Amino acid sequence: MAEKSTQNKTQATAASVQEFLAHVEHPVRRADGYRLLDLMSGISGEQAQMWGPTIVGFGRYHYKYDTGREGDAAAIGFSPRKGSLSLYGLTYGPEAAGLLARLGKHKTGAGCLYINKLDDVDEAVLTELIRIGYRHVTTVLHHARALRT
């Protein structure tokens, strides 16, 4: 029986964020990727970094599950996928539910926020989701985990 890997499949890489975004085929997703790059880096104060081949992340946090599995992940991030923009780290904070109700056209699932294009949502609400998501992941979750160890 093969041993299960406990390492996170999505690791930070040295790949170029600018090169990745330049090669996004869909012109609206590419333009939205550049807008999200500016928005998330401005709010987080972090430099963008590629996580795996398709996720642009900002900051990082360490997680540890009760199962013992642990690793690092981007605090917030996005991926301009073919079907939609996938945004990460924005739905965990307690204030997120109220903001999502005002965001505009979107879907959620498995901790992700899916948007077809940025023009479908209220950018002020998205900005607040990014702000609270980053704060929640880097301070609240980090502090809660530190208390358990």
Side-chain angles (χ1 to χ4, degrees), residues 78-128:
F78 70 90
S79 183
R81 304 202 185 272
K82 286 188 182 206
S84 64
L85 293 166
S86 299
L87 291 90
Y88 306 98
L90 309 188
T91 61
Y92 301 129
E95 306 99 327
L99 290 167
L100 288 169
R102 300 187 354 243
L103 180 61
K105 188 177 173 182
H106 73 279
K107 293 179 184 178
T108 58
C112 296
L113 172 62
Y114 302 102
I115 298 171
N116 188 39
K117 59 184 183 285
L118 290 182
D119 287 344
D120 287 344
V121 299
D122 182 323
E123 193 165 331
V125 175
L126 179 60
T127 297
E128 191 59 20

mmCIF file of all heavy atoms in Angstrom, residues 78-128:
data_model
loop_
_atom_site.group_PDB
_atom_site.id
_atom_site.type_symbol
_atom_site.label_atom_id
_atom_site.label_comp_id
_atom_site.label_asym_id
_atom_site.label_seq_id
_atom_site.Cartn_x
_atom_site.Cartn_y
_atom_site.Cartn_z
ATOM 1 N N PHE A 78 -6.005 34.309 -6.073
ATOM 2 C CA PHE A 78 -6.965 34.132 -7.156
ATOM 3 C C PHE A 78 -6.346 33.315 -8.273
ATOM 4 O O PHE A 78 -5.127 33.179 -8.362
ATOM 5 C CB PHE A 78 -7.442 35.490 -7.701
ATOM 6 C CG PHE A 78 -6.387 36.251 -8.458
ATOM 7 C CD1 PHE A 78 -6.229 36.098 -9.828
ATOM 8 C CD2 PHE A 78 -5.540 37.128 -7.801
ATOM 9 C CE1 PHE A 78 -5.251 36.804 -10.521
ATOM 10 C CE2 PHE A 78 -4.554 37.836 -8.479
ATOM 11 C CZ PHE A 78 -4.418 37.674 -9.851
ATOM 12 N N SER A 79 -7.230 32.795 -9.116
ATOM 13 C CA SER A 79 -6.800 32.101 -10.311
ATOM 14 C C SER A 79 -7.779 32.420 -11.429
ATOM 15 O O SER A 79 -8.981 32.188 -11.285
ATOM 16 C CB SER A 79 -6.759 30.587 -10.086
ATOM 17 O OG SER A 79 -6.267 29.942 -11.245
ATOM 18 N N PRO A 80 -7.288 32.977 -12.534
ATOM 19 C CA PRO A 80 -8.167 33.277 -13.669
ATOM 20 C C PRO A 80 -8.372 32.006 -14.508
ATOM 21 O O PRO A 80 -7.693 31.782 -15.496
ATOM 22 C CB PRO A 80 -7.405 34.362 -14.437
ATOM 23 C CG PRO A 80 -5.967 34.136 -14.085
ATOM 24 C CD PRO A 80 -5.939 33.503 -12.728
ATOM 25 N N ARG A 81 -9.289 31.163 -14.092
ATOM 26 C CA ARG A 81 -9.543 29.887 -14.772
ATOM 27 C C ARG A 81 -10.453 30.094 -15.980
ATOM 28 O O ARG A 81 -11.069 31.142 -16.118
ATOM 29 C CB ARG A 81 -10.140 28.899 -13.788
ATOM 30 C CG ARG A 81 -9.249 28.706 -12.557
ATOM 31 C CD ARG A 81 -9.518 27.412 -11.855
ATOM 32 N NE ARG A 81 -8.764 27.287 -10.617
ATOM 33 C CZ ARG A 81 -7.550 26.786 -10.514
ATOM 34 N NH1 ARG A 81 -6.911 26.384 -11.586
ATOM 35 N NH2 ARG A 81 -6.954 26.697 -9.344
ATOM 36 N N LYS A 82 -10.540 29.076 -16.821
ATOM 37 C CA LYS A 82 -11.356 29.193 -18.041
ATOM 38 C C LYS A 82 -12.814 29.503 -17.740
ATOM 39 O O LYS A 82 -13.424 30.332 -18.386
ATOM 40 C CB LYS A 82 -11.256 27.925 -18.879
ATOM 41 C CG LYS A 82 -9.941 27.801 -19.595
ATOM 42 C CD LYS A 82 -9.932 26.645 -20.565
ATOM 43 C CE LYS A 82 -8.551 26.579 -21.193
ATOM 44 N NZ LYS A 82 -8.566 25.979 -22.495
ATOM 45 N N GLY A 83 -13.387 28.823 -16.744
ATOM 46 C CA GLY A 83 -14.807 28.978 -16.459
ATOM 47 C C GLY A 83 -15.162 30.199 -15.632
ATOM 48 O O GLY A 83 -16.267 30.723 -15.748
ATOM 49 N N SER A 84 -14.247 30.634 -14.777
ATOM 50 C CA SER A 84 -14.519 31.778 -13.904
ATOM 51 C C SER A 84 -13.240 32.181 -13.186
ATOM 52 O O SER A 84 -12.231 31.495 -13.261
ATOM 53 C CB SER A 84 -15.590 31.417 -12.862
ATOM 54 O OG SER A 84 -15.114 30.412 -12.003
ATOM 55 N N LEU A 85 -13.334 33.293 -12.483
ATOM 56 C CA LEU A 85 -12.250 33.695 -11.582
ATOM 57 C C LEU A 85 -12.483 32.966 -10.264
ATOM 58 O O LEU A 85 -13.587 33.022 -9.712
ATOM 59 C CB LEU A 85 -12.295 35.200 -11.315
ATOM 60 C CG LEU A 85 -12.003 36.122 -12.480
ATOM 61 C CD1 LEU A 85 -12.426 37.547 -12.147
ATOM 62 C CD2 LEU A 85 -10.529 36.079 -12.820
ATOM 63 N N SER A 86 -11.483 32.284 -9.773
ATOM 64 C CA SER A 86 -11.560 31.641 -8.464
ATOM 65 C C SER A 86 -10.791 32.504 -7.484
ATOM 66 O O SER A 86 -9.624 32.811 -7.720
ATOM 67 C CB SER A 86 -10.943 30.244 -8.517
ATOM 68 O OG SER A 86 -11.635 29.427 -9.426
ATOM 69 N N LEU A 87 -11.448 32.896 -6.387
ATOM 70 C CA LEU A 87 -10.805 33.718 -5.371
ATOM 71 C C LEU A 87 -10.746 32.927 -4.073
ATOM 72 O O LEU A 87 -11.731 32.290 -3.678
ATOM 73 C CB LEU A 87 -11.568 35.023 -5.171
ATOM 74 C CG LEU A 87 -11.476 35.971 -6.374
ATOM 75 C CD1 LEU A 87 -12.592 35.719 -7.357
ATOM 76 C CD2 LEU A 87 -11.518 37.395 -5.918
ATOM 77 N N TYR A 88 -9.600 32.977 -3.411
ATOM 78 C CA TYR A 88 -9.335 32.162 -2.235
ATOM 79 C C TYR A 88 -9.134 33.014 -0.985
ATOM 80 O O TYR A 88 -8.534 34.083 -1.052
ATOM 81 C CB TYR A 88 -8.075 31.314 -2.464
ATOM 82 C CG TYR A 88 -8.150 30.494 -3.726
ATOM 83 C CD1 TYR A 88 -7.541 30.945 -4.897
ATOM 84 C CD2 TYR A 88 -8.851 29.303 -3.758
ATOM 85 C CE1 TYR A 88 -7.614 30.212 -6.068
ATOM 86 C CE2 TYR A 88 -8.933 28.549 -4.929
ATOM 87 C CZ TYR A 88 -8.317 29.012 -6.074
ATOM 88 O OH TYR A 88 -8.403 28.281 -7.239
ATOM 89 N N GLY A 89 -9.634 32.511 0.152
ATOM 90 C CA GLY A 89 -9.401 33.163 1.436
ATOM 91 C C GLY A 89 -10.369 34.278 1.773
ATOM 92 O O GLY A 89 -10.196 34.959 2.778
ATOM 93 N N LEU A 90 -11.409 34.462 0.972
ATOM 94 C CA LEU A 90 -12.302 35.609 1.190
ATOM 95 C C LEU A 90 -13.596 35.259 1.895
ATOM 96 O O LEU A 90 -14.348 36.147 2.280
ATOM 97 C CB LEU A 90 -12.642 36.275 -0.152
ATOM 98 C CG LEU A 90 -11.486 36.641 -1.072
ATOM 99 C CD1 LEU A 90 -11.994 37.459 -2.250
ATOM 100 C CD2 LEU A 90 -10.382 37.364 -0.339
ATOM 101 N N THR A 91 -13.874 33.983 2.095
ATOM 102 C CA THR A 91 -15.178 33.594 2.636
ATOM 103 C C THR A 91 -15.126 33.082 4.069
ATOM 104 O O THR A 91 -16.133 32.636 4.597
ATOM 105 C CB THR A 91 -15.821 32.508 1.748
ATOM 106 O OG1 THR A 91 -14.970 31.351 1.732
ATOM 107 C CG2 THR A 91 -16.031 33.012 0.334
ATOM 108 N N TYR A 92 -13.971 33.141 4.732
ATOM 109 C CA TYR A 92 -13.817 32.552 6.058
ATOM 110 C C TYR A 92 -14.219 33.466 7.208
ATOM 111 O O TYR A 92 -14.635 32.986 8.245
ATOM 112 C CB TYR A 92 -12.364 32.108 6.283
ATOM 113 C CG TYR A 92 -11.869 31.106 5.278
ATOM 114 C CD1 TYR A 92 -10.680 31.312 4.599
ATOM 115 C CD2 TYR A 92 -12.587 29.956 5.001
ATOM 116 C CE1 TYR A 92 -10.213 30.391 3.681
ATOM 117 C CE2 TYR A 92 -12.131 29.030 4.075
ATOM 118 C CZ TYR A 92 -10.951 29.249 3.418
ATOM 119 O OH TYR A 92 -10.497 28.344 2.505
ATOM 120 N N GLY A 93 -14.050 34.738 7.070
ATOM 121 C CA GLY A 93 -14.335 35.657 8.160
ATOM 122 C C GLY A 93 -15.818 35.710 8.499
ATOM 123 O O GLY A 93 -16.670 35.486 7.632
ATOM 124 N N PRO A 94 -16.150 36.011 9.750
ATOM 125 C CA PRO A 94 -17.556 36.041 10.160
ATOM 126 C C PRO A 94 -18.372 37.116 9.430
ATOM 127 O O PRO A 94 -19.582 36.970 9.290
ATOM 128 C CB PRO A 94 -17.499 36.312 11.665
ATOM 129 C CG PRO A 94 -16.119 36.774 11.953
ATOM 130 C CD PRO A 94 -15.242 36.284 10.859
ATOM 131 N N GLU A 95 -17.725 38.148 8.946
ATOM 132 C CA GLU A 95 -18.444 39.217 8.239
ATOM 133 C C GLU A 95 -18.709 38.865 6.782
ATOM 134 O O GLU A 95 -19.420 39.567 6.080
ATOM 135 C CB GLU A 95 -17.637 40.527 8.271
ATOM 136 C CG GLU A 95 -17.227 40.979 9.650
ATOM 137 C CD GLU A 95 -15.777 40.608 9.970
ATOM 138 O OE1 GLU A 95 -15.295 39.566 9.495
ATOM 139 O OE2 GLU A 95 -15.130 41.366 10.701
ATOM 140 N N ALA A 96 -18.122 37.774 6.282
ATOM 141 C CA ALA A 96 -18.196 37.449 4.861
ATOM 142 C C ALA A 96 -19.624 37.192 4.385
ATOM 143 O O ALA A 96 -19.996 37.642 3.303
ATOM 144 C CB ALA A 96 -17.308 36.244 4.546
ATOM 145 N N ALA A 97 -20.429 36.492 5.165
ATOM 146 C CA ALA A 97 -21.783 36.140 4.722
ATOM 147 C C ALA A 97 -22.607 37.383 4.363
ATOM 148 O O ALA A 97 -23.260 37.418 3.317
ATOM 149 C CB ALA A 97 -22.495 35.316 5.785
ATOM 150 N N GLY A 98 -22.562 38.393 5.209
ATOM 151 C CA GLY A 98 -23.300 39.621 4.931
ATOM 152 C C GLY A 98 -22.791 40.341 3.699
ATOM 153 O O GLY A 98 -23.573 40.888 2.914
ATOM 154 N N LEU A 99 -21.488 40.332 3.512
ATOM 155 C CA LEU A 99 -20.906 40.976 2.332
ATOM 156 C C LEU A 99 -21.228 40.192 1.060
ATOM 157 O O LEU A 99 -21.522 40.789 0.020
ATOM 158 C CB LEU A 99 -19.399 41.123 2.496
ATOM 159 C CG LEU A 99 -18.964 42.152 3.538
ATOM 160 C CD1 LEU A 99 -17.483 42.000 3.871
ATOM 161 C CD2 LEU A 99 -19.260 43.566 3.050
ATOM 162 N N LEU A 100 -21.179 38.878 1.136
ATOM 163 C CA LEU A 100 -21.497 38.060 -0.044
ATOM 164 C C LEU A 100 -22.918 38.314 -0.529
ATOM 165 O O LEU A 100 -23.179 38.299 -1.733
ATOM 166 C CB LEU A 100 -21.294 36.575 0.261
ATOM 167 C CG LEU A 100 -19.847 36.133 0.397
ATOM 168 C CD1 LEU A 100 -19.768 34.713 0.959
ATOM 169 C CD2 LEU A 100 -19.112 36.231 -0.938
ATOM 170 N N ALA A 101 -23.822 38.584 0.396
ATOM 171 C CA ALA A 101 -25.213 38.863 0.033
ATOM 172 C C ALA A 101 -25.326 40.146 -0.794
ATOM 173 O O ALA A 101 -26.268 40.303 -1.573
ATOM 174 C CB ALA A 101 -26.074 38.969 1.290
ATOM 175 N N ARG A 102 -24.358 41.039 -0.654
ATOM 176 C CA ARG A 102 -24.369 42.321 -1.376
ATOM 177 C C ARG A 102 -23.392 42.361 -2.552
ATOM 178 O O ARG A 102 -23.304 43.370 -3.246
ATOM 179 C CB ARG A 102 -24.008 43.451 -0.408
ATOM 180 C CG ARG A 102 -24.956 43.580 0.749
ATOM 181 C CD ARG A 102 -24.711 44.797 1.643
ATOM 182 N NE ARG A 102 -23.554 45.598 1.364
ATOM 183 C CZ ARG A 102 -22.526 45.771 2.194
ATOM 184 N NH1 ARG A 102 -22.491 45.172 3.362
ATOM 185 N NH2 ARG A 102 -21.513 46.543 1.869
ATOM 186 N N LEU A 103 -22.627 41.299 -2.750
ATOM 187 C CA LEU A 103 -21.541 41.311 -3.729
ATOM 188 C C LEU A 103 -22.003 41.428 -5.170
ATOM 189 O O LEU A 103 -21.403 42.147 -5.963
ATOM 190 C CB LEU A 103 -20.680 40.045 -3.566
ATOM 191 C CG LEU A 103 -19.497 39.891 -4.512
ATOM 192 C CD1 LEU A 103 -18.495 41.041 -4.337
ATOM 193 C CD2 LEU A 103 -18.812 38.544 -4.277
ATOM 194 N N GLY A 104 -23.049 40.728 -5.530
ATOM 195 C CA GLY A 104 -23.462 40.656 -6.923
ATOM 196 C C GLY A 104 -23.364 39.213 -7.384
ATOM 197 O O GLY A 104 -23.323 38.279 -6.573
ATOM 198 N N LYS A 105 -23.314 39.027 -8.686
ATOM 199 C CA LYS A 105 -23.357 37.685 -9.274
ATOM 200 C C LYS A 105 -22.092 36.887 -8.934
ATOM 201 O O LYS A 105 -20.994 37.245 -9.346
ATOM 202 C CB LYS A 105 -23.502 37.813 -10.788
ATOM 203 C CG LYS A 105 -23.743 36.525 -11.499
ATOM 204 C CD LYS A 105 -23.940 36.769 -12.988
ATOM 205 C CE LYS A 105 -24.026 35.461 -13.738
ATOM 206 N NZ LYS A 105 -24.176 35.682 -15.166
ATOM 207 N N HIS A 106 -22.275 35.789 -8.188
ATOM 208 C CA HIS A 106 -21.156 34.943 -7.772
ATOM 209 C C HIS A 106 -21.670 33.588 -7.320
ATOM 210 O O HIS A 106 -22.877 33.392 -7.155
ATOM 211 C CB HIS A 106 -20.384 35.589 -6.620
ATOM 212 C CG HIS A 106 -21.126 35.544 -5.327
ATOM 213 N ND1 HIS A 106 -22.118 36.445 -5.013
ATOM 214 C CD2 HIS A 106 -21.059 34.685 -4.284
ATOM 215 C CE1 HIS A 106 -22.615 36.160 -3.828
ATOM 216 N NE2 HIS A 106 -21.995 35.085 -3.356
ATOM 217 N N LYS A 107 -20.750 32.669 -7.110
ATOM 218 C CA LYS A 107 -21.030 31.364 -6.513
ATOM 219 C C LYS A 107 -19.956 31.107 -5.464
ATOM 220 O O LYS A 107 -18.867 31.681 -5.536
ATOM 221 C CB LYS A 107 -20.985 30.255 -7.559
ATOM 222 C CG LYS A 107 -22.083 30.342 -8.592
ATOM 223 C CD LYS A 107 -21.950 29.223 -9.611
ATOM 224 C CE LYS A 107 -23.007 29.398 -10.684
ATOM 225 N NZ LYS A 107 -22.898 28.379 -11.731
ATOM 226 N N THR A 108 -20.266 30.251 -4.512
ATOM 227 C CA THR A 108 -19.272 29.851 -3.523
ATOM 228 C C THR A 108 -19.244 28.335 -3.451
ATOM 229 O O THR A 108 -20.202 27.665 -3.826
ATOM 230 C CB THR A 108 -19.585 30.410 -2.117
ATOM 231 O OG1 THR A 108 -20.874 29.956 -1.714
ATOM 232 C CG2 THR A 108 -19.528 31.927 -2.097
ATOM 233 N N GLY A 109 -18.139 27.822 -2.960
ATOM 234 C CA GLY A 109 -18.010 26.384 -2.762
ATOM 235 C C GLY A 109 -16.629 26.038 -2.270
ATOM 236 O O GLY A 109 -15.649 26.627 -2.719
ATOM 237 N N ALA A 110 -16.558 25.107 -1.338
ATOM 238 C CA ALA A 110 -15.279 24.593 -0.821
ATOM 239 C C ALA A 110 -14.299 25.705 -0.459
ATOM 240 O O ALA A 110 -13.119 25.626 -0.768
ATOM 241 C CB ALA A 110 -14.660 23.642 -1.830
ATOM 242 N N GLY A 111 -14.796 26.764 0.178
ATOM 243 C CA GLY A 111 -13.920 27.844 0.613
ATOM 244 C C GLY A 111 -13.523 28.806 -0.487
ATOM 245 O O GLY A 111 -12.706 29.688 -0.267
ATOM 246 N N CYS A 112 -14.086 28.652 -1.679
ATOM 247 C CA CYS A 112 -13.743 29.525 -2.813
ATOM 248 C C CYS A 112 -14.920 30.419 -3.173
ATOM 249 O O CYS A 112 -16.071 30.094 -2.929
ATOM 250 C CB CYS A 112 -13.382 28.696 -4.039
ATOM 251 S SG CYS A 112 -11.908 27.704 -3.825
ATOM 252 N N LEU A 113 -14.583 31.524 -3.774
ATOM 253 C CA LEU A 113 -15.561 32.450 -4.321
ATOM 254 C C LEU A 113 -15.346 32.457 -5.824
ATOM 255 O O LEU A 113 -14.207 32.626 -6.285
ATOM 256 C CB LEU A 113 -15.327 33.848 -3.731
ATOM 257 C CG LEU A 113 -16.109 35.021 -4.301
ATOM 258 C CD1 LEU A 113 -17.604 34.826 -4.087
ATOM 259 C CD2 LEU A 113 -15.647 36.309 -3.646
ATOM 260 N N TYR A 114 -16.407 32.222 -6.589
ATOM 261 C CA TYR A 114 -16.304 32.155 -8.048
ATOM 262 C C TYR A 114 -17.064 33.320 -8.662
ATOM 263 O O TYR A 114 -18.233 33.539 -8.345
ATOM 264 C CB TYR A 114 -16.885 30.839 -8.571
ATOM 265 C CG TYR A 114 -16.223 29.624 -7.980
ATOM 266 C CD1 TYR A 114 -16.849 28.902 -6.963
ATOM 267 C CD2 TYR A 114 -14.972 29.212 -8.419
ATOM 268 C CE1 TYR A 114 -16.243 27.789 -6.413
ATOM 269 C CE2 TYR A 114 -14.360 28.095 -7.871
ATOM 270 C CZ TYR A 114 -15.002 27.390 -6.863
ATOM 271 O OH TYR A 114 -14.398 26.286 -6.315
ATOM 272 N N ILE A 115 -16.372 34.057 -9.533
ATOM 273 C CA ILE A 115 -16.951 35.205 -10.214
ATOM 274 C C ILE A 115 -16.675 35.049 -11.701
ATOM 275 O O ILE A 115 -15.551 34.714 -12.099
ATOM 276 C CB ILE A 115 -16.318 36.522 -9.701
ATOM 277 C CG1 ILE A 115 -16.611 36.706 -8.216
ATOM 278 C CG2 ILE A 115 -16.806 37.715 -10.517
ATOM 279 C CD1 ILE A 115 -15.854 37.864 -7.584
ATOM 280 N N ASN A 116 -17.673 35.300 -12.526
ATOM 281 C CA ASN A 116 -17.468 35.214 -13.964
ATOM 282 C C ASN A 116 -16.538 36.329 -14.444
ATOM 283 O O ASN A 116 -15.585 36.084 -15.159
ATOM 284 C CB ASN A 116 -18.808 35.262 -14.706
ATOM 285 C CG ASN A 116 -18.656 34.970 -16.180
ATOM 286 O OD1 ASN A 116 -17.879 34.108 -16.566
ATOM 287 N ND2 ASN A 116 -19.385 35.704 -16.992
ATOM 288 N N LYS A 117 -16.856 37.555 -14.040
ATOM 289 C CA LYS A 117 -15.997 38.709 -14.358
ATOM 290 C C LYS A 117 -16.200 39.772 -13.291
ATOM 291 O O LYS A 117 -17.245 39.843 -12.661
ATOM 292 C CB LYS A 117 -16.279 39.242 -15.766
ATOM 293 C CG LYS A 117 -17.692 39.702 -16.017
ATOM 294 C CD LYS A 117 -17.876 40.106 -17.481
ATOM 295 C CE LYS A 117 -19.243 40.648 -17.767
ATOM 296 N NZ LYS A 117 -20.304 39.654 -17.837
ATOM 297 N N LEU A 118 -15.184 40.597 -13.092
ATOM 298 C CA LEU A 118 -15.246 41.595 -12.025
ATOM 299 C C LEU A 118 -16.369 42.599 -12.234
ATOM 300 O O LEU A 118 -16.909 43.133 -11.264
ATOM 301 C CB LEU A 118 -13.901 42.314 -11.881
ATOM 302 C CG LEU A 118 -12.768 41.479 -11.309
ATOM 303 C CD1 LEU A 118 -11.499 42.313 -11.173
ATOM 304 C CD2 LEU A 118 -13.138 40.859 -9.971
ATOM 305 N N ASP A 119 -16.731 42.847 -13.471
ATOM 306 C CA ASP A 119 -17.820 43.788 -13.739
ATOM 307 C C ASP A 119 -19.172 43.278 -13.232
ATOM 308 O O ASP A 119 -20.135 44.038 -13.173
ATOM 309 C CB ASP A 119 -17.903 44.116 -15.231
ATOM 310 C CG ASP A 119 -16.763 45.017 -15.689
ATOM 311 O OD1 ASP A 119 -16.085 45.626 -14.831
ATOM 312 O OD2 ASP A 119 -16.537 45.107 -16.914
ATOM 313 N N ASP A 120 -19.258 41.986 -12.870
ATOM 314 C CA ASP A 120 -20.499 41.412 -12.339
ATOM 315 C C ASP A 120 -20.699 41.698 -10.852
ATOM 316 O O ASP A 120 -21.760 41.382 -10.305
ATOM 317 C CB ASP A 120 -20.513 39.885 -12.518
ATOM 318 C CG ASP A 120 -20.730 39.449 -13.952
ATOM 319 O OD1 ASP A 120 -21.168 40.277 -14.777
ATOM 320 O OD2 ASP A 120 -20.452 38.267 -14.249
ATOM 321 N N VAL A 121 -19.676 42.230 -10.186
ATOM 322 C CA VAL A 121 -19.767 42.409 -8.737
ATOM 323 C C VAL A 121 -19.493 43.860 -8.343
ATOM 324 O O VAL A 121 -18.925 44.633 -9.114
ATOM 325 C CB VAL A 121 -18.787 41.475 -7.989
ATOM 326 C CG1 VAL A 121 -19.118 40.014 -8.273
ATOM 327 C CG2 VAL A 121 -17.347 41.771 -8.326
ATOM 328 N N ASP A 122 -19.899 44.180 -7.132
ATOM 329 C CA ASP A 122 -19.657 45.505 -6.561
ATOM 330 C C ASP A 122 -18.209 45.524 -6.056
ATOM 331 O O ASP A 122 -17.865 44.801 -5.115
ATOM 332 C CB ASP A 122 -20.641 45.731 -5.415
ATOM 333 C CG ASP A 122 -20.531 47.098 -4.770
ATOM 334 O OD1 ASP A 122 -19.390 47.620 -4.631
ATOM 335 O OD2 ASP A 122 -21.577 47.632 -4.377
ATOM 336 N N GLU A 123 -17.365 46.338 -6.685
ATOM 337 C CA GLU A 123 -15.945 46.334 -6.342
ATOM 338 C C GLU A 123 -15.681 46.804 -4.910
ATOM 339 O O GLU A 123 -14.744 46.337 -4.269
ATOM 340 C CB GLU A 123 -15.126 47.164 -7.335
ATOM 341 C CG GLU A 123 -13.650 46.903 -7.184
ATOM 342 C CD GLU A 123 -12.815 47.392 -8.347
ATOM 343 O OE1 GLU A 123 -13.301 47.446 -9.489
ATOM 344 O OE2 GLU A 123 -11.632 47.715 -8.101
ATOM 345 N N ALA A 124 -16.510 47.686 -4.386
ATOM 346 C CA ALA A 124 -16.330 48.126 -2.999
ATOM 347 C C ALA A 124 -16.580 46.965 -2.038
ATOM 348 O O ALA A 124 -15.855 46.797 -1.050
ATOM 349 C CB ALA A 124 -17.266 49.296 -2.684
ATOM 350 N N VAL A 125 -17.581 46.146 -2.319
ATOM 351 C CA VAL A 125 -17.869 44.980 -1.482
ATOM 352 C C VAL A 125 -16.743 43.954 -1.632
ATOM 353 O O VAL A 125 -16.278 43.391 -0.644
ATOM 354 C CB VAL A 125 -19.241 44.366 -1.840
ATOM 355 C CG1 VAL A 125 -19.481 43.075 -1.062
ATOM 356 C CG2 VAL A 125 -20.360 45.369 -1.571
ATOM 357 N N LEU A 126 -16.278 43.734 -2.857
ATOM 358 C CA LEU A 126 -15.161 42.807 -3.077
ATOM 359 C C LEU A 126 -13.918 43.283 -2.334
ATOM 360 O O LEU A 126 -13.216 42.489 -1.707
ATOM 361 C CB LEU A 126 -14.861 42.669 -4.568
ATOM 362 C CG LEU A 126 -13.693 41.742 -4.913
ATOM 363 C CD1 LEU A 126 -13.944 40.325 -4.422
ATOM 364 C CD2 LEU A 126 -13.429 41.764 -6.418
ATOM 365 N N THR A 127 -13.662 44.566 -2.362
ATOM 366 C CA THR A 127 -12.517 45.136 -1.656
ATOM 367 C C THR A 127 -12.607 44.840 -0.163
ATOM 368 O O THR A 127 -11.624 44.437 0.463
ATOM 369 C CB THR A 127 -12.432 46.661 -1.901
ATOM 370 O OG1 THR A 127 -12.226 46.879 -3.302
ATOM 371 C CG2 THR A 127 -11.320 47.308 -1.102
ATOM 372 N N GLU A 128 -13.794 44.983 0.408
ATOM 373 C CA GLU A 128 -13.973 44.697 1.831
ATOM 374 C C GLU A 128 -13.822 43.204 2.115
ATOM 375 O O GLU A 128 -13.243 42.816 3.127
ATOM 376 C CB GLU A 128 -15.326 45.219 2.320
ATOM 377 C CG GLU A 128 -15.478 45.191 3.819
ATOM 378 C CD GLU A 128 -14.437 46.002 4.586
ATOM 379 O OE1 GLU A 128 -13.794 46.909 4.026
ATOM 380 O OE2 GLU A 128 -14.243 45.713 5.781
#
